[in-house]
Amino acid sequence: MMADVFQQSVEYPFSTLHFGNDADRQFQAIVAIHSTALGPALGGCRLVRYTSTNAALTDVLRLAKGMTYKAAFHHLPFGGGKAVIIAPEKIRDRRDLMNAYGDFIDSLGGMFITAVDSGTGPDDMDIVAKRTKHVVCASKQFSGTGDPSPHTAKGVLRGIQAASKYLFKSDQMEGIHVLIQGVGHVGIQLVSLLKTLGAKVSVSDVNQQSIKTCQDRFEVSVVEPEEVYSTPCDVFSPCALGQIINASTAKQLKAKIVAGSANNQLLDGSYGELLRKLGILYAPDYVINSGGLLQIAYRNDQQLMAREIDRLYERLITIFEQSSRQGVSTNVIANQMAEDFLRESKLKHPLPAVHA
């Protein structure tokens, strides 16, 4: 039985919810729009198996809010939204499924711009782009921005360096032990960046093929998934799915820093405070993982993207310093920054709308 969505909105506020269903094409999807105060809602499309429709609904609502805050933190002209496609046990025709998704997005009339997320990639967005103009992350052939994962990984690296500078007084990665949970599109890019800088890298993933691909390319140690939280390291970098920091896992952590690309890493915001009390420095997820959004916003302008990704370093240092001075968690500080800008409801640096 599906939960009362208006009761859920108390914990996970939203503006509008949209449900798509096409049994012939195995298509079941939810788009959640959290806010359009700053512009059309922008968010990725997640294609994963869910245990229930309720689980999918909770996921999309949490993710949509995170996108609002991510765009507001960077003063970008986008609102926050997210899409989830509830993956069938076996997809008969992926093109047909993505065509259905493209039709669904087009029916929303531009209030939501879709992008990639877990389970989808630029090839999927190419299919969607044939059905709607309200899409990014497609290939150049469709005037898209392409794969955002390299830029997301660059932002995570800058975030790890900022946290290391703040805590260890040096942002040099030589000899720093980083344990990466999840070596998919972003995780494996992060491995490459860290290894180039001389870091010691351990990896963990439930997907053994992803582990093998990583081991074939890099010298890394492998940590079993059940030991990932209790393994000693300098930096724990969650780069898979979210809600992994809870009362149990937080107390198992042997890391001094949590800094990764996963969305919604905290089971809820209160666990940021638990990490603070445990002496673990947390880089707020929607700040450190925003490199992909910056790529989309700045339309692959290499100079602008490099500048804005580099700014993540200083902005995270500011968050860490304010957290220490005010005695509150880093995620609370990041939220305050985003909410201050949302209240202003005006843009300091207007950008062309990507859906035009």
Side-chain angles (χ1 to χ4, degrees), residues 25-198:
R25 294 191 281 186
Q26 294 183 290
F27 178 70
Q28 293 181 322
I30 309 170
V31 168
I33 294 178
H34 176 263
S35 172
T36 55
L38 301 178
L42 172 68
C45 172
R46 184 166 284 191
L47 173 60
V48 298
R49 293 274 292 162
Y50 286 96
T51 56
S52 67
T53 303
N54 283 340
L57 179 60
T58 298
D59 197 30
V60 76
L61 289 173
R62 284 174 57 93
L63 291 165
K65 180 180 179 181
M67 286 303 299
T68 294
Y69 279 59
K70 188 183 297 189
F73 183 85
H74 288 288
H75 298 186
L76 295 175
F78 302 112
K82 209 73 174 185
V84 298
I85 300 175
I86 302 172
E89 188 171 347
K90 183 178 181 181
I91 299 175
R92 293 193 302 265
D93 187 331
R94 191 178 183 97
R95 178 172 293 276
D96 211 26
L97 180 67
M98 298 313 297
N99 278 334
Y101 178 63
D103 292 340
F104 178 44
I105 295 304
D106 199 57
S107 74
L108 300 180
M111 70 172 69
F112 178 70
I113 303 167
T114 191
V116 299
D117 202 312
S118 301
T120 61
D123 289 347
D124 296 309
M125 296 304 108
D126 282 355
I127 298 169
V128 172
K130 294 179 180 180
R131 317 292 285 209
T132 183
K133 64 181 181 180
H134 308 297
V135 56
V136 291
C137 300
S139 63
K140 291 181 180 178
Q141 170 187 357
F142 294 96
S143 301
T145 52
D147 183 6
S149 59
H151 305 284
T152 303
K154 289 176 185 176
V156 173
L157 173 64
R158 292 303 281 154
I160 291 173
Q161 290 174 317
S164 296
K165 178 67 174 178
Y166 182 79
L167 202 61
F168 305 140
K169 311 308 178 187
S170 171
D171 57 14
Q172 299 303 301
M173 293 290 98
E174 184 78 35
I176 294 292
H177 183 193
V178 182
L179 197 171
I180 300 175
Q181 182 190 45
V183 283
H185 294 301
V186 176
I188 199 164
Q189 301 266 2
L190 182 58
V191 172
S192 178
L193 294 171
L194 287 166
K195 292 295 292 184
T196 299
L197 295 176

Side-chain angles (χ1 to χ4, degrees), residues 293-311:
L293 174 62
L294 294 171
Q295 178 215 16
I296 292 166
Y298 292 101
R299 302 294 292 178
N300 283 322
D301 184 311
Q302 297 300 317
Q303 185 175 357
L304 284 174
M305 283 191 302
R307 182 194 73 188
E308 293 302 313
I309 288 174
D310 268 346
R311 283 189 70 207

